Amino acid sequence: MPCTVIVGGFFGDEGKGKIVAYLSVKDRPTVVARAGVGTNAGHSFNLDGASVKLRQVPSGFPYRNARLLIGPGVLVDPVVFFDEVEKTKVNGRIGVDKQCAIIEQQHIERDKSDMHLSSKVGTTGSGTGPCNSDRALRLTKLAKDLPELKEYIADVPKEVNDALDKNQSVIVEGTQGTFLSLFHGTYPYCTSKDVCASQACADVGIGPTRVDDVLVIFKSFVTRVGAGELAGELGEEEIERRGWVEYGTVTGRLRRAAPFNFDLARRAVMLNGATQVAITKLDVIFPECKDAKSEKDLPKEAAAFIKKVEGSIKVPVALVGTGPDINSIIDFREKRSHPKDQQKTTKS
Ligand code: GTP
Ligand code: IMP
Ligand code: MG
């Protein structure tokens, strides 16, 4: 599909990075543009046996011909950016929008020392909240003000829209999850801006009419780091017993966990205008699925779970994650025609 926006359906860490990496290698998009808040996000996945963790570089980097862009709505921490550019060797094909606001050391210090942020909200301490607040006050530096970023400076909205004008495909990579949204999440236990699909479009400078697909990602169970309500939350012992233990990519904190929440999933579908969904970590709740690549390799209970999700949210499941490797995935897309194609068939 020419333009796919990918966002999280719960509280972040649903596995957006892995899904974006898989789709980039499989569908070969011309552009992968990172949207979302900034370095508070940690996208991780396994590639050729190695674990990759990304807080700034778009997760589409494994597809070597993809142009990688960071939209003007995203906060850039030059220290993290340069470290990742070096590790991923994406020099020459990554661009940072001239209007990205810059996270400085003082933002990180404020994030960590402010009791409201660090203790009450339980932020990631990456400086994104104070930086977004300074941005609203029009105090932040922008990427174009930093000589060291000069060779990376790009007009991201222009590049993305030009690609779409040429019918080239674009993936917009969101961060966090719907219920961490400043507008739609569990305020004040949320992040410092909206993180739903329409905000992801604004982050990279595309209008809503340019989007073909909104892919919302759900994990097979719900996790959350930091404070705030989590319906059906399990105790630490039970999380361990079920094998659902996870640690935050950015903070290393133990992620709180609860079973899949159908009410939240339906609301996330509504708030994001989902056309497709992905379910990740099916292998964690059904270990027999580990690394399955085909629907026929799924045990009955796992297939029934996918059907139950589809029946509840009324949106097709396009992808199912069965392991941390980018190839551990079941791709249902080939089997199913796109809802827009179905409309065309009905009309003709
Ligand atoms: P945020 O933007 O920080 O919300 O991150 P994210 O959505 O990219 O997720 P994150 O990488 O923080 O967490 C997902 C974790 O699950 C990573 O360690 C992935 O390698 C792993 N993962 C993703 N998909 C699967 C899957 O289908 N099965 C298993 N076992 N692990 C997965
Ligand atoms: P902040 O975004 O660092 O200000 O943190 C605000 C809240 O959002 C805290 O509860 C964080 O744990 C949570 N949060 C922010 N980014 C992520 C993420 O990428 N994954 C999961 N939780 C996140
Ligand atoms: Mg994460």
Side-chain angles (χ1 to χ4, degrees):
M1 280 300 121
C3 185
T4 305
V5 176
I6 299 181
V7 291
F10 288 142
F11 297 95
D13 306 321
E14 299 90 353
K16 293 174 287 295
K18 177 235 166 108
I19 296 289
V20 171
Y22 166 78
L23 288 176
S24 299
V25 172
K26 173 88 180 167
D27 296 354
R28 303 173 175 210
T30 304
V31 172
V32 181
R34 187 135 171 171
V37 183
T39 46
N40 50 350
H43 288 188
S44 52
F45 49 88
N46 288 4
L47 178 70
D48 302 327
S51 163
V52 181
K53 290 186 171 60
L54 298 172
R55 297 167 63 193
Q56 296 258 250
V57 166
S59 302
F61 95 90
Y63 171 50
R64 285 165 209 275
N65 291 331
R67 171 79 168 143
L68 306 172
L69 297 171
I70 301 180
V74 180
L75 306 175
V76 169
D77 179 334
V79 176
V80 179
F81 174 78
F82 285 119
D83 177 56
E84 290 184 5
V85 167
E86 199 193 308
K87 283 187 182 138
T88 52
K89 301 185 179 60
V90 292
N91 225 326
R93 63 181 178 110
I94 186 161
V96 175
D97 191 83
K98 54 189 185 306
Q99 303 246 82
C100 289
I102 299 296
I103 299 175
E104 296 180 71
Q105 191 54 34
Q106 51 112 344
H107 294 123
I108 297 172
E109 279 158 21
R110 275 157 63 195
D111 204 356
K112 288 183 175 162
S113 62
D114 183 301
M115 282 302 126
H116 173 70
L117 293 176
S118 64
S119 296
K120 185 173 177 195
V121 180
T123 67
T124 59
S126 52
T128 49
C131 187
N132 264 336
S133 123
D134 275 1
R135 188 180 205 168
L137 295 170
R138 280 135 296 172
L139 291 170
T140 52
K141 286 184 185 148
L142 297 183
K144 65 178 180 194
D145 303 325
L146 269 60
E148 68 266 37
L149 283 174
K150 200 161 177 232
E151 65 174 290
Y152 299 97
I153 295 300
D155 182 343
V156 170
K158 176 90 170 67
E159 282 200 46
V160 174
N161 282 282
D162 282 354
L164 293 173
D165 288 344
K166 290 186 218 149
N167 212 26
Q168 294 171 338
S169 59
V170 170
I171 291 179
V172 177
E173 174 181 359
T175 63
Q176 285 77 39
T178 300
F179 301 102
L180 287 178
S181 162
L182 181 63
F183 300 162
H184 306 293
T186 51
Y187 186 94
Y189 304 104
C190 58
T191 191
S192 53
K193 72 184 239 199
D194 182 29
V195 287
C196 295
S198 42
Q199 176 66 54
C201 294
D203 288 341
V204 301
I206 55 172
T209 51
R210 306 233 66 171
V211 176
D212 297 279
D213 264 306
V214 175
L215 175 65
V216 175
I217 306 189
F218 297 110
K219 206 184 297 203
S220 300
F221 49 102
V222 185
T223 60
R224 161 155 223 183
V225 280
E229 69 192 58
L230 179 61
E233 181 166 5
L234 304 171
E236 270 184 39
E237 260 176 37
E238 182 60 17
I239 294 175
E240 240 168 74
R241 197 188 64 76
R242 294 187 186 208
W244 293 4
V245 174
E246 285 185 16
Y247 294 93
T249 308
V250 176
T251 58
R253 288 180 290 187
L254 179 71
R255 291 178 181 157
R256 299 156 62 202
F260 192 92
N261 187 320
F262 291 88
D263 293 335
L264 286 186
R266 278 193 296 272
R267 190 161 177 87
V269 161
M270 175 188 85
L271 290 167
N272 291 292
T275 59
Q276 309 182 341
V277 305
I279 301 176
T280 58
K281 296 211 164 187
L282 196 68
D283 54 301
V284 175
I285 54 170
F286 301 106
E288 312 91 298
C289 298
K290 182 94 180 105
D291 299 325
K293 295 187 174 62
S294 155
E295 195 179 0
K296 64 177 176 9
D297 299 330
L298 291 182
K300 259 202 260 140
E301 309 74 41
F305 174 70
I306 294 170
K307 283 266 160 303
K308 188 172 170 194
V309 173
E310 271 184 338
S312 167
I313 64 175
K314 310 276 188 283
V315 173
V317 174
L319 300 164
V320 170
T322 56
D325 190 273
I326 67 165
N327 296 311
S328 296
I329 208 156
I330 304 173
D331 193 334
F332 290 89
R333 293 173 306 161
E334 284 117 33
K335 269 183 53 187
R336 295 175 175 148
S337 58
H338 188 268
K340 283 192 183 165
D341 296 334
Q342 284 168 6
Q343 277 168 19
K344 277 180 218 153
T345 322
T346 325
K347 277 183 204 152
S348 58

